[in-house]
Coordinates of all heavy atoms in Angstrom, one line a residue:
L1064 N 6.6 2.1 -16.0 CA 7.2 1.5 -14.8 C 7.6 2.6 -13.9 O 7.5 2.5 -12.6 CB 8.4 0.6 -15.1 CG 8.1 -0.6 -16.0 CD1 9.3 -1.4 -16.3 CD2 7.0 -1.5 -15.3
Q1065 N 8.1 3.7 -14.4 CA 8.6 4.8 -13.6 C 7.3 5.5 -12.9 O 7.4 5.8 -11.8 CB 9.3 5.9 -14.5 CG 9.8 7.1 -13.7 CD 10.5 8.1 -14.5 OE1 10.6 7.9 -15.7 NE2 11.0 9.1 -13.9
N1066 N 6.3 5.6 -13.7 CA 5.0 6.2 -13.1 C 4.5 5.4 -12.0 O 4.1 5.9 -10.9 CB 4.0 6.3 -14.2 CG 4.3 7.4 -15.3 OD1 5.2 8.2 -15.1 ND2 3.6 7.3 -16.4
V1067 N 4.4 4.1 -12.2 CA 3.9 3.2 -11.1 C 4.8 3.2 -9.9 O 4.4 3.3 -8.7 CB 3.6 1.8 -11.6 CG1 3.2 0.9 -10.5 CG2 2.6 1.8 -12.7
G1068 N 6.1 3.1 -10.1 CA 7.1 3.1 -9.1 C 7.0 4.4 -8.3 O 7.1 4.4 -7.0
T1069 N 6.9 5.6 -9.0 CA 6.8 6.9 -8.3 C 5.5 6.9 -7.5 O 5.5 7.5 -6.4 CB 6.8 8.0 -9.4 OG1 8.0 7.9 -10.1 CG2 6.7 9.4 -8.7
Y1070 N 4.4 6.4 -8.0 CA 3.1 6.4 -7.3 C 3.2 5.6 -6.0 O 2.7 6.1 -4.9 CB 2.0 5.7 -8.2 CG 0.6 5.9 -7.7 CD1 -0.2 6.9 -8.0 CD2 0.1 4.9 -6.8 CE1 -1.5 7.0 -7.5 CE2 -1.2 5.0 -6.3 CZ -2.0 6.0 -6.7 OH -3.3 6.1 -6.2
I1071 N 3.9 4.5 -6.0 CA 4.1 3.7 -4.8 C 5.0 4.5 -3.8 O 4.6 4.5 -2.6 CB 4.7 2.3 -5.2 CG1 3.7 1.5 -5.9 CG2 5.2 1.6 -3.9 CD1 4.3 0.2 -6.5
L1072 N 6.0 5.1 -4.3 CA 6.9 5.9 -3.3 C 6.1 7.0 -2.7 O 6.3 7.3 -1.5 CB 8.1 6.4 -4.1 CG 9.2 5.4 -4.5 CD1 10.2 6.0 -5.3 CD2 9.8 4.8 -3.2
K1073 N 5.2 7.6 -3.5 CA 4.5 8.8 -3.0 C 3.3 8.4 -2.1 O 3.0 9.1 -1.1 CB 4.0 9.6 -4.2 CG 3.4 10.9 -3.9 CD 3.1 11.7 -5.2 CE 2.6 13.1 -4.9 NZ 2.3 13.9 -6.1
Y1074 N 2.6 7.3 -2.4 CA 1.4 7.0 -1.7 C 1.4 5.7 -1.0 O 0.3 5.3 -0.4 CB 0.2 7.0 -2.7 CG 0.0 8.4 -3.4 CD1 0.1 8.5 -4.8 CD2 -0.4 9.5 -2.7 CE1 -0.1 9.7 -5.4 CE2 -0.5 10.7 -3.3 CZ -0.4 10.8 -4.7 OH -0.6 12.0 -5.3
G1075 N 2.5 5.0 -1.0 CA 2.5 3.6 -0.5 C 2.2 3.6 1.0 O 1.6 2.6 1.5
D1076 N 2.5 4.7 1.8 CA 2.2 4.7 3.2 C 0.9 5.4 3.6 O 0.5 5.4 4.7 CB 3.3 5.4 3.9 CG 4.6 4.6 3.8 OD1 4.6 3.3 3.7 OD2 5.7 5.2 3.9
T1077 N 0.2 6.0 2.6 CA -1.0 6.8 2.9 C -2.2 6.2 2.3 O -3.3 6.3 2.8 CB -0.8 8.2 2.5 OG1 -0.5 8.3 1.1 CG2 0.3 8.9 3.2
R1078 N -2.1 5.6 1.1 CA -3.3 5.1 0.4 C -3.4 3.6 0.4 O -4.4 3.1 -0.1 CB -3.3 5.6 -1.1 CG -3.4 7.1 -1.2 CD -3.6 7.5 -2.6 NE -3.8 9.0 -2.8 CZ -4.0 9.6 -3.9 NH1 -4.2 8.9 -5.0 NH2 -4.2 10.9 -4.0
F1079 N -2.4 2.9 0.9 CA -2.5 1.5 1.0 C -2.4 1.1 2.5 O -1.7 1.7 3.3 CB -1.3 0.8 0.3 CG -1.3 1.0 -1.2 CD1 -0.8 2.2 -1.7 CD2 -1.8 0.1 -2.0 CE1 -0.7 2.4 -3.1 CE2 -1.7 0.3 -3.4 CZ -1.2 1.4 -3.9
T1080 N -3.2 0.0 2.9 CA -3.1 -0.5 4.3 C -2.9 -2.0 4.2 O -3.0 -2.7 3.2 CB -4.4 -0.2 5.0 OG1 -5.5 -0.9 4.3 CG2 -4.7 1.3 5.1
D1081 N -2.5 -2.5 5.4 CA -2.2 -4.0 5.6 C -3.4 -4.8 5.3 O -4.5 -4.6 6.0 CB -1.6 -4.2 7.0 CG -1.1 -5.7 7.1 OD1 -1.3 -6.5 6.2 OD2 -0.4 -5.9 8.1
R1082 N -3.3 -5.7 4.3 CA -4.5 -6.6 4.0 C -4.9 -7.4 5.2 O -6.1 -7.7 5.4 CB -4.1 -7.5 2.9 CG -5.2 -8.5 2.5 CD -4.6 -9.6 1.6 NE -5.6 -10.6 1.3 CZ -5.3 -11.8 0.8 NH1 -4.0 -12.1 0.6 NH2 -6.3 -12.7 0.6
N1083 N -4.0 -7.8 6.1 CA -4.2 -8.6 7.2 C -4.6 -7.9 8.5 O -4.8 -8.4 9.5 CB -3.0 -9.5 7.5 CG -2.6 -10.4 6.4 OD1 -3.5 -11.0 5.8 ND2 -1.4 -10.5 6.1
N1084 N -4.8 -6.6 8.4 CA -5.2 -5.7 9.5 C -6.4 -4.9 9.1 O -6.3 -3.8 8.7 CB -4.1 -4.8 9.9 CG -4.4 -4.0 11.2 OD1 -5.5 -4.2 11.8 ND2 -3.5 -3.1 11.6
P1085 N -7.6 -5.5 9.2 CA -8.8 -4.8 8.8 C -9.1 -3.5 9.6 O -9.9 -2.7 9.1 CB -9.9 -5.9 9.0 CG -9.4 -6.8 10.1 CD -7.9 -6.8 9.8
N1086 N -8.5 -3.4 10.7 CA -8.8 -2.2 11.5 C -8.0 -0.9 11.0 O -8.3 0.2 11.4 CB -8.5 -2.4 13.0 CG -9.4 -3.5 13.6 OD1 -10.6 -3.5 13.2 ND2 -8.9 -4.3 14.4
E1087 N -7.0 -1.2 10.2 CA -6.1 -0.1 9.7 C -6.9 0.7 8.6 O -7.4 0.0 7.6 CB -4.8 -0.6 9.2 CG -3.8 0.5 8.8 CD -2.5 0.0 8.3 OE1 -2.3 -1.3 8.3 OE2 -1.6 0.8 7.9
K1088 N -6.9 2.0 8.7 CA -7.6 2.8 7.7 C -6.6 3.7 6.9 O -5.6 4.2 7.5 CB -8.6 3.7 8.3 CG -9.7 3.0 9.2 CD -10.5 2.1 8.3 CE -11.6 1.4 9.2 NZ -12.3 0.3 8.4
P1089 N -6.8 3.9 5.6 CA -5.8 4.7 4.9 C -6.0 6.2 5.3 O -7.1 6.6 5.7 CB -6.3 4.5 3.4 CG -7.7 4.2 3.5 CD -7.9 3.3 4.8
R1090 N -4.9 6.9 5.2 CA -4.9 8.3 5.6 C -5.4 9.2 4.4 O -5.5 10.4 4.6 CB -3.5 8.8 6.1 CG -3.1 8.1 7.3 CD -1.9 8.7 8.0 NE -0.7 8.7 7.2 CZ 0.2 7.8 7.1 NH1 0.0 6.7 7.9 NH2 1.3 7.8 6.4
A1091 N -5.6 8.7 3.3 CA -6.1 9.4 2.1 C -7.0 8.4 1.3 O -7.3 7.3 1.8 CB -4.9 9.9 1.3
E1092 N -7.5 8.9 0.2 CA -8.3 8.0 -0.6 C -7.6 6.7 -0.9 O -6.5 6.7 -1.3 CB -8.6 8.7 -2.0 CG -9.5 8.0 -2.9 CD -9.8 8.7 -4.2 OE1 -9.3 9.8 -4.4 OE2 -10.4 8.1 -5.1
R1093 N -8.3 5.6 -0.7 CA -7.7 4.3 -0.8 C -7.4 4.0 -2.2 O -8.1 4.2 -3.2 CB -8.7 3.2 -0.2 CG -8.0 1.8 -0.3 CD -9.0 0.7 0.2 NE -9.2 0.9 1.7 CZ -8.4 0.4 2.6 NH1 -7.2 -0.1 2.2 NH2 -8.6 0.5 3.9
A1094 N -6.1 3.4 -2.4 CA -5.7 2.9 -3.7 C -5.6 1.4 -3.7 O -5.5 0.8 -4.7 CB -4.3 3.5 -4.0
G1095 N -5.6 0.8 -2.5 CA -5.5 -0.6 -2.4 C -5.0 -1.1 -1.0 O -5.1 -0.4 0.0
W1096 N -4.4 -2.3 -1.0 CA -3.8 -2.8 0.2 C -2.4 -3.3 -0.1 O -1.9 -3.3 -1.3 CB -4.6 -4.0 0.7 CG -6.0 -3.6 1.2 CD1 -6.4 -3.5 2.4 CD2 -7.1 -3.4 0.4 NE1 -7.7 -3.1 2.5 CE2 -8.2 -3.1 1.2 CE3 -7.4 -3.4 -1.0 CZ2 -9.5 -2.8 0.8 CZ3 -8.7 -3.1 -1.5 CH2 -9.7 -2.8 -0.6
Y1097 N -1.7 -3.7 0.9 CA -0.3 -4.3 0.7 C -0.3 -5.6 1.5 O -1.0 -5.8 2.5 CB 0.8 -3.4 1.0 CG 0.9 -3.0 2.5 CD1 1.5 -3.9 3.5 CD2 0.4 -1.8 2.9 CE1 1.5 -3.5 4.8 CE2 0.5 -1.4 4.2 CZ 1.1 -2.2 5.2 OH 1.1 -1.9 6.5
Q1098 N 0.6 -6.5 1.0 CA 0.8 -7.8 1.7 C 2.3 -8.0 1.8 O 3.0 -8.0 0.8 CB 0.1 -8.9 1.0 CG 0.3 -10.3 1.6 CD -0.6 -11.3 1.0 OE1 -1.8 -11.2 1.0 NE2 0.1 -12.3 0.4
D1099 N 2.8 -8.2 3.1 CA 4.2 -8.5 3.3 C 4.4 -10.0 3.3 O 3.8 -10.7 4.1 CB 4.6 -7.9 4.6 CG 4.6 -6.4 4.6 OD1 4.9 -5.8 3.5 OD2 4.4 -5.7 5.6
N1100 N 5.3 -10.4 2.4 CA 5.8 -11.8 2.3 C 7.3 -11.8 2.6 O 8.0 -11.4 1.8 CB 5.5 -12.4 1.0 CG 4.0 -12.5 0.7 OD1 3.2 -12.5 1.6 ND2 3.6 -12.6 -0.6
D1101 N 7.6 -12.4 3.7 CA 9.0 -12.3 4.1 C 9.5 -10.9 4.1 O 8.9 -10.1 4.9 CB 9.9 -13.2 3.2 CG 9.5 -14.6 3.3 OD1 9.1 -15.1 4.4 OD2 9.6 -15.3 2.2
D1102 N 10.5 -10.5 3.3 CA 11.0 -9.1 3.3 C 10.6 -8.4 2.1 O 11.2 -7.4 1.7 CB 12.5 -9.1 3.5 CG 13.2 -9.8 2.5 OD1 12.6 -10.5 1.7 OD2 14.5 -9.7 2.4
E1103 N 9.5 -8.8 1.4 CA 9.1 -8.1 0.2 C 7.6 -7.7 0.4 O 6.9 -8.4 1.1 CB 9.2 -9.0 -1.1 CG 8.3 -10.2 -1.1 CD 8.5 -11.1 -2.3 OE1 9.6 -11.0 -2.9 OE2 7.7 -11.9 -2.6
R1104 N 7.3 -6.6 -0.2 CA 5.9 -6.0 -0.1 C 5.2 -6.0 -1.4 O 5.8 -5.4 -2.4 CB 5.9 -4.7 0.6 CG 4.6 -4.0 0.6 CD 4.6 -2.8 1.5 NE 4.7 -3.2 2.9 CZ 4.7 -2.3 4.0 NH1 4.5 -1.0 3.7 NH2 4.8 -2.7 5.2
I1105 N 4.1 -6.6 -1.5 CA 3.3 -6.6 -2.7 C 2.1 -5.6 -2.6 O 1.4 -5.7 -1.5 CB 2.8 -8.0 -3.0 CG1 3.9 -9.0 -3.2 CG2 1.9 -8.0 -4.3 CD1 3.5 -10.5 -3.3
Y1106 N 1.9 -4.8 -3.6 CA 0.9 -3.8 -3.5 C -0.3 -4.3 -4.3 O -0.2 -4.7 -5.5 CB 1.4 -2.4 -4.1 CG 2.4 -1.8 -3.2 CD1 3.8 -2.1 -3.3 CD2 2.0 -1.0 -2.1 CE1 4.7 -1.5 -2.5 CE2 3.0 -0.4 -1.3 CZ 4.3 -0.7 -1.5 OH 5.2 -0.1 -0.6

């Protein structure tokens, strides 16, 4: 859990892009997408 949490903190803004915005490109090698539901973010 610590490893995955640390990975998200480190790469959440660079390797993940908004699933609902196909024009957004990751700034590094893609790890996946994120989806915002209300005030929570699912990776």
Side-chain angles (χ1 to χ4, degrees):
L1064 298 180
Q1065 182 180 1
N1066 290 346
V1067 175
T1069 301
Y1070 188 92
I1071 291 173
L1072 286 174
K1073 189 173 183 179
Y1074 301 116
D1076 294 331
T1077 58
R1078 294 189 178 185
F1079 295 83
T1080 60
D1081 188 351
R1082 176 195 175 196
N1083 298 317
N1084 184 2
N1086 296 322
E1087 185 180 0
K1088 303 297 181 185
R1090 297 196 295 274
E1092 181 183 356
R1093 182 181 291 281
W1096 292 261
Y1097 63 81
Q1098 177 172 299
D1099 292 328
N1100 295 339
D1101 298 328
D1102 57 352
E1103 66 184 20
R1104 175 166 290 184
I1105 302 174
Y1106 292 88

